[in-house]
Amino acid sequence: MSWGTELWDQFDNLEKHTQWGIDVLEKFIKFVKERTEIELSYAKQLRNLSKKYQPKKNSKEEEEYRYTSARAFLATLNEMNDYAGQHEVISENMTSLITGELTRYVQELKQERKSHFHDGRKAQQHIETCWKQLEASKRRFERDCKEADRAQQYFEKMDADINVTKADVEKARQQAQLRHQMAEDSKAEYSSTLQKFNSEQHDHYYTHIPHIFQKIQEMEERRIVRIGESMKTFAEVDRQVIPIIGKCLDEITKAAESIDHKNDSQLVIEAFKSGFEPPGDVDFEDFTQPMKRTVSESSLSNSRADGKSEPKFGGKSKGKLWPFIKKNKLMSLLTSPHQPPPPPPASASPSAVPNGPQSPKQQKEPLSHRFNEFMTSKPKIHCFRSLKRGGAGPEDFSNLPPEQRRKKLQQKVDELNRDIQKEMDQRDALTKMKDVYIKNPQMGDAASVDHRLAELGQNIEKLRLEVQKFEAWLAEVEGRLSMRSEARRQSGLYEAQNTSAVNSCAQDRESPDGSYTEEQSQETEMKVPATDFDDEFDDEEPLPTIGTCKALYTFEGQNEGTISVAEGEMLYVIEEDKGDGWTRIRRNEDEEGYVPTSYVEVYLDKNAKDVYKSLEKISE
């Protein structure tokens, strides 16, 4: 099957067909281009979609992704991003393997087709030229034959005419012979031209045209094979990314299967658990009795006067509201004989300490007012150092519920430990650099890094102090939470044993004139073990000395928080006068307290003072 033998006379149709084949190839190229554009657009839209729903950095959304369902959604977004990347790979591969290759091939195909059809036209023109030469030789031979016949007839006529001279007859005879010779020559030329044309025609239709058409056929078959291969590549490009897309889908399925509803529920507890105890039942207040309104021990309106409920295993352990517990605990600490030295009061009497314990016979507020105060109140301060300076800042997260405060403090400790590690790494690197400079002075001055090493040492010391401070707060919170859980475990047993005792206790606490007393509550407050104060204050690091002082006069420290000094005695200064007329000093590790600033002459160490002030700024 050859176009040269079967289609020897279909030159024009072959030309049209091959042009159609090139048009089909260009149409396929255009189709692939549009497909790549669709893939790119789809990938871009998928990426934008994934980016749109990604959590923003340093936003509240990041905290939400600790839940397994949110993490599964985040994994889905990431896999969709990879999924989009595979569509970009499809586009890139189709562009390079199909569009680019076929575009170059079409250009080559057009040049080859043009060359083949140019050769075919040239062969066709040649055979047409040979045919024209044959026709011309044939017409010339025919004309010469006719002229020879006419010349012969004229000679015979002249020869038969008796009136014609002999010379005219001879002339006619010579003319007839000449014409016959010319006819013979034309015949020979015509015969030669005919043979030549037949040979050329044979070569044209059996050699040249078949050869040219065979090349055109091969060209067309290569085009067909090439477009078929391109279609296979078109499918193969998709097939190559199917395993990766399948992995993306498998990862999405795996992420969905990793969702743990129980774990998420537990995370909700950890995220929002306040550590408060639920309030106890509100007792019935009988207004029909001819006496003043009594307040039950567990009512909200009496929560201000209640003592510290956590360690009271000997009394009724009802659940108390946390903001009121904090305040009552603070008031009990103020009246405790084991409390650390409070800030020097403006007067000599310790009863002038602000926020002192309220009278147990204060007028009760309506229940709705107390409930509103519970909803809007902030946790009270725990540290007397904060109390002395006029209130607690947010540094110790005391504005948070106990459980949330513990988490925040733990995070702060971890963050500070990471900062310490970074500073230590820098210090180690500088130490190595200094050793290199010492061994090779030409590389640098070893003294140039001493200033930076000193700064790093100070930074590390400050950070360690911060860690100790936050660890103390953390230990305090964890101790309270453990006491709460212990009290909660024992409260059930105590409830069953002492229900009747509480009712009788409420009657016993009624005074003869019908008023309500809080003596039992106050006695319970005085029974708070000294370990509470260890939790509150003993974990704190002792203040560093910032200088020395000399006692100008003898001072008898009779009030709590003060210390006695003798005239001429040398002591250490650990805290400057804050404007209240008192200076905090230390005699030894166990003896420290406040003395009037006017009684001592202070010699501050400049470097220690700077460090102290920087620590003060950090803590504030």
Side-chain angles (χ1 to χ4, degrees):
M1 182 182 67
S2 172
W3 287 6
T5 57
E6 302 293 337
L7 302 174
W8 61 270
D9 58 345
Q10 300 296 322
F11 184 87
D12 293 337
N13 288 331
L14 287 179
E15 186 176 15
K16 293 177 181 179
H17 177 76
T18 53
Q19 182 60 46
W20 172 84
I22 291 176
D23 293 341
V24 169
L25 197 56
E26 290 179 336
K27 186 183 297 184
F28 181 72
I29 293 172
K30 186 177 180 182
F31 161 75
V32 175
K33 280 184 178 179
E34 292 184 1
R35 166 72 190 279
T36 57
E37 291 173 358
I38 291 173
E39 293 291 343
L40 281 177
S41 176
Y42 181 51
K44 183 179 180 181
Q45 291 179 12
L46 282 179
R47 287 191 183 278
N48 290 337
L49 181 65
S50 177
K51 183 179 179 181
K52 177 181 178 181
Y53 288 95
Q54 286 281 353
K56 296 179 176 60
K57 291 184 178 180
N58 301 324
S59 67
K60 186 178 179 181
E61 292 182 5
E62 278 193 330
E63 299 180 0
E64 297 174 355
Y65 282 89
R66 63 177 178 269
Y67 300 104
T68 57
S69 56
R71 286 204 302 269
F73 178 57
L74 182 60
T76 301
L77 294 178
N78 294 332
E79 293 301 329
M80 288 306 297
N81 204 35
D82 296 339
Y83 186 88
Q86 296 310 308
H87 284 278
E88 290 175 348
V89 170
I90 291 175
S91 176
E92 292 172 1
N93 290 341
M94 285 186 176
T95 300
S96 60
L97 300 178
I98 300 177
T99 305
E101 294 293 332
L102 285 185
T103 301
R104 288 191 293 271
Y105 177 70
V106 165
Q107 297 299 324
E108 296 172 358
L109 189 64
K110 288 181 177 179
Q111 292 295 330
E112 184 180 0
R113 175 180 174 277
K114 182 179 180 181
S115 175
H116 291 330
F117 281 98
H118 176 71
D119 293 341
R121 289 191 184 90
K122 188 175 179 181
Q124 192 127 3
Q125 289 174 0
H126 178 69
I127 197 64
E128 288 177 357
T129 300
C130 291
W131 174 256
K132 289 178 181 179
Q133 291 176 357
L134 178 62
E135 287 293 322
S137 176
K138 180 181 176 182
R139 285 194 298 272
R140 187 165 54 252
F141 172 59
E142 183 181 6
R143 186 180 67 249
D144 289 344
C145 287
K146 290 179 179 179
E147 290 291 334
D149 288 341
R150 283 196 298 270
Q152 183 64 31
Q153 290 176 3
Y154 180 72
F155 166 70
E156 290 175 357
K157 182 180 178 182
M158 292 292 288
D159 189 40
D161 190 358
I162 59 174
N163 296 320
V164 177
T165 62
K166 202 175 201 180
D168 292 333
V169 172
E170 185 63 23
K171 183 178 179 180
R173 187 181 64 78
Q174 291 178 357
Q175 185 68 27
Q177 289 178 351
L178 179 62
R179 292 293 179 184
H180 277 290
Q181 186 62 39
M182 289 177 65
E184 288 296 329
D185 292 341
S186 298
K187 180 180 179 182
E189 182 183 357
Y190 172 65
S191 176
S192 174
T193 303
L194 181 59
Q195 289 178 0
K196 182 180 178 182
F197 173 77
N198 288 333
S199 175
E200 291 288 343
Q201 181 175 256
H202 185 275
D203 291 341
H204 176 76
Y205 288 111
Y206 291 95
T207 303
H208 298 306
I209 290 297
H211 180 69
I212 293 172
F213 281 14
Q214 185 64 31
K215 289 182 177 180
I216 294 174
Q217 180 180 357
E218 291 174 357
M219 177 194 72
E220 182 66 11
E221 289 175 352
R222 286 199 307 272
R223 179 195 67 80
I224 296 171
V225 171
R226 190 61 177 270
I227 196 171
E229 291 175 349
S230 298
M231 290 179 179
K232 288 182 181 178
T233 305
F234 181 83
E236 194 63 29
V237 166
D238 263 347
R239 186 175 288 110
Q240 287 175 354
V241 300
I242 286 177
I244 303 177
I245 291 177
K247 288 182 180 179
C248 293
L249 299 177
D250 291 341
E251 289 297 326
I252 293 175
T253 304
K254 184 179 178 181
E257 293 173 350
S258 68
I259 296 176
D260 187 353
H261 58 283
K262 295 293 185 183
N263 183 65
D264 283 2
S265 298
Q266 182 62 32
L267 288 176
V268 173
I269 295 175
E270 294 177 1
F272 301 110
K273 181 180 178 181
S274 66
F276 294 155
E277 292 290 340
D281 296 337
V282 179
D283 293 343
F284 176 75
E285 300 180 11
D286 192 355
F287 292 95
T288 61
Q289 299 294 330
M291 65 180 192
K292 293 185 179 180
R293 179 180 178 184
T294 60
V295 182
S296 64
E297 183 181 353
S298 60
S299 66
L300 287 174
S301 60
N302 194 34
S303 59
R304 285 182 179 270
D306 287 342
K308 186 175 179 180
S309 60
E310 290 88 341
K312 290 197 292 187
F313 304 133
K316 185 174 181 179
S317 180
K318 288 282 186 180
K320 299 297 186 291
L321 297 179
W322 179 64
F324 305 135
I325 290 174
K326 290 296 180 182
K327 182 171 182 180
N328 293 328
K329 182 173 183 179
L330 180 60
M331 291 190 298
S332 66
L333 290 176
L334 284 170
T335 58
S336 172
H338 301 284
Q339 60 182 324
S347 64
S349 174
S351 64
V353 176
N355 299 328
Q358 299 174 359
S359 171
K361 294 186 179 182
Q362 61 183 347
Q363 186 176 357
K364 296 183 292 295
E365 300 176 8
L367 180 62
S368 60
H369 292 178
R370 292 296 181 88
F371 186 73
N372 290 335
E373 183 179 351
F374 161 69
M375 297 301 291
T376 59
S377 62
K378 298 281 187 181
K380 299 300 186 286
I381 55 179
H382 309 284
C383 178
F384 273 89
R385 186 179 301 171
S386 300
L387 177 66
K388 172 177 66 65
R389 293 173 184 172
E395 184 186 16
D396 60 351
F397 305 107
S398 58
N399 58 330
L400 297 176
E403 185 67 25
Q404 302 304 314
R405 184 185 179 208
R406 181 190 65 78
K407 292 173 62 178
K408 289 290 185 181
L409 288 172
Q410 185 63 54
Q411 292 175 4
K412 187 67 176 179
V413 169
D414 296 340
E415 179 184 346
L416 289 172
N417 285 329
R418 288 193 295 269
D419 293 341
I420 290 175
Q421 187 60 44
K422 289 180 182 178
E423 297 290 330
M424 292 178 67
D425 293 341
Q426 292 184 24
R427 185 181 64 181
D428 294 342
L430 286 176
T431 303
K432 292 180 181 178
M433 183 184 297
K434 182 178 179 180
D435 294 340
V436 172
Y437 287 168
I438 293 174
K439 294 178 181 178
N440 303 288
Q442 67 275 10
M443 297 183 66
D445 184 10
S448 62
V449 299
D450 289 340
H451 180 67
R452 179 58 181 162
L453 283 173
E455 288 183 356
L456 289 174
Q458 293 177 2
N459 292 341
I460 292 173
E461 189 61 30
K462 291 177 184 178
L463 289 172
R464 282 175 176 168
L465 291 175
E466 286 290 300
V467 169
Q468 292 173 0
K469 178 171 61 177
F470 281 96
E471 285 178 345
W473 285 332
L474 180 61
E476 169 197 340
V477 175
E478 290 177 344
R480 289 183 179 180
L481 290 176
S482 62
M483 285 192 295
R484 285 175 184 268
S485 60
E486 182 67 24
R488 191 183 305 116
R489 286 194 298 270
Q490 297 189 12
S491 63
L493 178 61
Y494 186 81
E495 285 278 345
Q497 295 177 352
N498 296 279
T499 303
S500 59
V502 170
N503 295 332
S504 62
C505 179
Q507 296 293 333
D508 294 340
R509 286 157 60 185
E510 183 180 347
S511 62
D513 59 354
S515 62
Y516 186 75
T517 63
E518 294 290 338
E519 294 176 358
Q520 182 177 358
S521 175
Q522 292 178 358
E523 291 174 359
T524 308
E525 288 179 0
M526 298 301 292
K527 294 178 182 179
V528 176
T531 55
D532 290 340
F533 304 101
D534 296 337
D535 293 339
E536 290 286 341
F537 303 104
D538 288 350
D539 289 341
E540 294 186 2
E541 288 293 322
L543 290 174
T545 60
I546 60 173
T548 59
C549 68
K550 179 180 179 181
L552 301 177
Y553 312 99
T554 299
F555 174 72
E556 298 293 337
Q558 298 179 355
N559 294 329
E560 187 173 4
T562 60
I563 183 171
S564 300
V565 296
E567 181 179 354
E569 185 178 4
M570 295 297 296
L571 304 108
Y572 295 102
V573 178
I574 59 176
E575 191 171 324
E576 285 187 272
D577 185 355
K578 298 298 182 180
D580 51 8
W582 294 87
T583 299
R584 191 172 180 180
I585 63 173
R586 178 186 297 151
R587 178 175 287 113
N588 51 48
E589 293 183 356
D590 298 328
E591 292 185 77
E592 64 178 46
Y594 292 91
V595 296
T597 305
S598 59
Y599 277 55
V600 293
E601 184 176 359
V602 178
Y603 310 98
L604 291 180
D605 184 357
K606 184 178 184 303
N607 294 333
K609 182 179 179 181
D610 293 340
V611 172
Y612 179 75
K613 286 185 176 180
S614 63
L615 289 177
E616 286 289 319
K617 291 180 180 178
I618 293 173
S619 63
E620 290 174 1

